[in-house]
Amino acid sequence: MNDYKLKDSTKTAMRHILQDSATKRTNLSLRINEDLHAEYKSLADAYKKIS
């Protein structure tokens, strides 16, 4: 059986792509969390005014 090995440059490129996409996902989820936090805060403020 022929054991196929990836070149080091290919492995490095793949690792960079994976790290980059993980960073983008993290940044996106942080932004979404900030937006949700702001939404909930404005809802809470509106509720306080009503009650």
Side-chain angles (χ1 to χ4, degrees):
M1 184 115 106
N2 191 0
D3 190 14
Y4 180 74
K5 300 251 189 253
L6 290 172
K7 292 190 296 186
D8 283 344
S9 60
T10 307
K11 286 183 189 170
T12 305
M14 290 170 69
R15 194 175 305 119
H16 283 264
I17 290 167
L18 289 170
Q19 287 172 343
D20 189 45
S21 65
T23 302
K24 285 179 181 162
R25 278 197 307 273
T26 302
N27 290 343
L28 180 63
S29 63
L30 286 174
R31 249 197 330 265
I32 291 170
N33 285 343
E34 287 172 2
D35 290 348
L36 283 175
H37 180 73
E39 287 291 321
Y40 281 121
K41 187 172 178 342
S42 64
L43 279 173
D45 291 345
Y47 183 75
K48 283 179 194 166
K49 287 178 187 169
I50 293 169
S51 58

